[in-house]
Amino acid sequence: MSYVMETYSRLPIKIVRGNGCRVWDDTGREYLDMVSGIAVCNLGHAHPKVVDALTEQAKELFHCSNLYQIPLQEELAGMIAQHSFDSRAFFCNSGAEANEAAIKLSRRYCNTMGKRGAHIITFEGSFHGRTLATVAATAQGKFRKGFDPIPEGFIAVPYGDIEALEAAIDDRVGALMLEPIQGEGGINLPPKGYLKQVRQLCSRHAILLILDEIQTGMGRTGKLFCYMHEDMEPDIMTLAKALGNGFPVGAMVAKPYVAEAFIPGSHASTFGGNPLAMASSIATLKVMLEEKIPERTGEMGLYLMDGLMQLKTSHAGIKDVRGRGLMAGIEFDTDISSFNADGLDKGILLNVIQSRILRIAPALVITKQEIDEALAAIDTLLTEKGL
Ligand SMILES: Cc1ncc(COP(=O)(O)O)c(C=O)c1O
C-alpha cells in the first residue's frame, strides 16, 4: 500500500541518479534516457554548471518573498527578453501555472483594455496543464472527465486549419492559445507558415496570441523558442519544463503593452521566482546560449530524423515519423502502450503518448552514438513485436 495518491501509472523502477542522457535505478542498472523527464532536463541530468549555480545559491538564500526585490528575477527576465522579444516576465513554478497566469493576464487585458470579449480560442489535441482553467483550455475530453463544472470561456477549433480558425473568430474572442507543435497531443506539427498566418489573423482582429512553449521552448526544436522558425512573435509566451533544467520553475512573459494589464495585487505566487529557481534557470539559459545548444539540437534532430526514416522503411508497423529538432514522434496503427515497460527490459526509457505514438525527447546534449543506440533498441523492440 502507498500513502501517495494514485494519480499516475508508474513503471516499476526507482531512478536514483542521472548524468547527461543516462539514469540509474536503485539496483545500479543503467538506462539510456529518451524522455528527459518529459522534455525537462534539456542539458542532461546533473549538468555541472546548473548544479554549481543551484548549490551556490542554496548556501546564500533558499527563499525570499516577493514582498522584496529579487535581483535574480530581474536578471532572468532580462535574459529572456533579450533572447526572445521585448517582454515583462511573471515567474511561477510549473507549466500549468504559467498558462493559468497567461489566461488571467489575457482576460484582464481584454476586460480592462481590450475592445473585444475575453474568450480564448484553443485547439483540438492541445495540452496546457491540469489546473481547472488549463484543463478547460486543453481541448481533449479525457482530461476533463469528471471535473464538471469546467470553467467557461474557451472555444476549441481544429489545429493547423487557418480557415476553421478564422471562422471561429467572433466578438467574444479576445485571445488565442496554442502550442507551436502539439506535444502531448501526439507531436503534431502544423502546416508550414501556419504560425505566421495565425499571427497575421490575430493582428488583423486585435486578438492576443498566446504561445505555449512549455514543451517546445528552451532549444528543443532547434531554435531557442519554436516560434523563431517562422517570422513571427507572440504577445504572450509561457515557459516551464526545461527552463530550470529540472528545477521546478515556470514563466509567463508578455509584451509590455499587455503586461500593463497586471497591476500590484492582480496575480501572485509565494514561491514564484524563488532564488533557487532563478539561479538554476539563469545557469541553464547561459549554457544554452554559450554552447549554442539550439543549433546543435537542429543538427542532431536531422540525424535522428534520418534514423527514424530508415526505421520506417524496415518496419511496416510505423505509420508516420515526424518532428522537429529533438522532439519527434513515431506513430503506429496499433496500441504500443507496452513499450514504456518493454523499453526498460532493453535498458532504455521510452514514452508513449496517445497509446499509439512513441515520443522521442532526449536531453539535447545527446550524442550521435547515443542516438544510434536508441534507434537500435527501438529497432530490436519493433522486430520482436512484429511491427
Ligand atoms: C505544452 C504544455 N503546456 C503545459 C504543460 C503543463 O506543464 P506542468 O506539468 O508543468 O504543469 C505541459 C506539460 O506536459 C505541456 O506539454
Side-chain angles (χ1 to χ4, degrees):
M1 108 107 194
S2 167
Y3 286 102
V4 177
M5 278 195 202
E6 286 191 12
T7 56
Y8 303 97
S9 319
R10 296 177 194 267
L11 291 159
I13 59 162
K14 299 183 184 108
I15 297 171
V16 293
R17 190 163 68 83
N19 196 289
C21 279
R22 312 245 166 209
V23 293
W24 288 263
D25 71 12
D26 59 341
T27 69
R29 177 142 193 229
E30 182 180 312
Y31 301 85
L32 178 62
D33 182 2
M34 297 305 283
V35 184
S36 66
I38 313 189
V40 167
C41 301
N42 281 11
L43 296 181
H45 296 280
H47 191 286
K49 289 196 174 150
V50 183
V51 172
D52 282 354
L54 184 59
T55 39
E56 285 311 308
Q57 183 55 45
K59 287 182 211 158
E60 294 294 326
L61 184 69
F62 264 48
H63 178 71
C64 174
S65 163
N66 282 304
L67 291 171
Y68 309 99
Q69 309 280 322
I70 302 182
L72 291 174
Q73 287 188 13
E74 295 295 338
E75 189 177 341
L76 181 60
M79 284 174 78
I80 296 173
Q82 192 192 338
H83 295 283
S84 57
F85 53 90
D86 184 22
S87 58
R88 307 288 179 264
F90 174 84
F91 292 110
C92 51
N93 314 286
S94 67
E97 275 179 81
N99 283 337
E100 187 86 24
I103 292 165
K104 284 183 75 178
L105 178 65
S106 80
R107 285 211 173 158
R108 227 184 116 82
Y109 175 87
C110 294
N111 288 327
T112 60
M113 300 155 84
K115 297 185 176 64
R116 311 177 57 95
H119 280 53
I120 301 175
I121 289 184
T122 64
F123 294 81
E124 289 164 12
S126 59
F127 184 82
H128 297 297
R130 301 296 199 124
T131 63
L132 269 181
T134 55
V135 154
T138 294
Q140 292 192 66
K142 64 181 178 187
F143 295 113
R144 297 183 191 171
K145 223 169 159 198
F147 295 117
D148 288 326
I150 295 291
E152 292 174 2
F154 297 91
I155 300 161
V157 306
Y159 185 64
D161 180 342
I162 199 75
E163 276 97 42
L165 172 59
E166 183 146 28
I169 294 173
D170 60 28
D171 288 347
R172 293 174 305 163
V173 175
L176 168 165
M177 182 178 225
L178 93 159
E179 295 156 87
I181 295 173
Q182 289 186 335
E184 304 307 302
I187 316 293
N188 304 322
L189 283 81
K192 204 165 183 294
Y194 178 70
L195 290 185
K196 200 170 173 187
Q197 287 178 316
V198 171
R199 171 71 273 174
Q200 285 163 350
L201 203 56
C202 287
S203 300
R204 189 151 18 101
H205 292 276
I207 289 172
L208 295 178
L209 172 48
I210 306 168
L211 274 191
D212 177 341
E213 289 257 16
I214 287 162
Q215 193 161 147
T216 51
M218 300 304 286
R220 173 64 51 192
T221 69
K223 297 270 185 196
L224 188 56
F225 304 110
C226 190
Y227 77 81
M228 293 171 167
H229 289 288
E230 291 189 25
D231 179 23
M232 58 85 67
E233 274 177 6
D235 299 301
I236 301 177
M237 173 170 76
T238 52
L239 303 172
K241 286 196 181 279
L243 182 57
N245 205 47
F247 197 93
V249 58
M252 184 272 291
V253 304
K255 291 200 167 151
Y257 80 99
V258 186
E260 269 174 29
F262 269 179
I263 54 169
S266 296
H267 195 47
S269 161
T270 294
F271 289 127
N274 171 289
L276 295 175
M278 296 298 97
S280 308
S281 304
I282 291 166
T284 302
L285 198 46
K286 277 189 183 158
V287 174
M288 287 252 152
L289 296 166
E290 282 165 15
E291 298 183 13
K292 299 193 171 18
I293 299 289
E295 288 90 325
R296 185 186 183 282
T297 303
E299 287 158 27
M300 287 296 163
L302 293 178
Y303 186 78
L304 171 69
M305 198 45 74
D306 219 42
L308 293 179
M309 288 297 186
Q310 282 175 34
L311 270 188
K312 186 169 181 283
T313 55
S314 46
H315 293 279
I318 298 181
K319 204 175 137 206
D320 188 29
V321 296
R322 53 182 179 263
R324 189 149 212 184
L326 288 169
M327 179 174 183
I330 315 176
E331 184 170 351
F332 296 83
D333 273 328
T334 47
D335 191 312
I336 53 151
S337 305
S338 75
F339 281 21
N340 291 326
D342 299 333
L344 299 182
D345 296 335
K346 308 231 157 326
I348 183 167
L349 301 191
L350 296 174
N351 175 241
V352 176
I353 43 179
Q354 304 285 338
S355 316
R356 291 178 302 100
I357 298 155
L358 186 59
R359 166 169 46 194
I360 311 282
L364 309 182
V365 294
I366 194 167
T367 61
K368 285 188 176 171
Q369 289 83 342
E370 285 167 328
I371 291 178
D372 290 342
E373 198 184 317
L375 290 169
I378 296 168
D379 191 15
T380 310
L381 182 55
L382 296 185
T383 306
E384 282 172 14
K385 297 277 174 192
L387 285 166

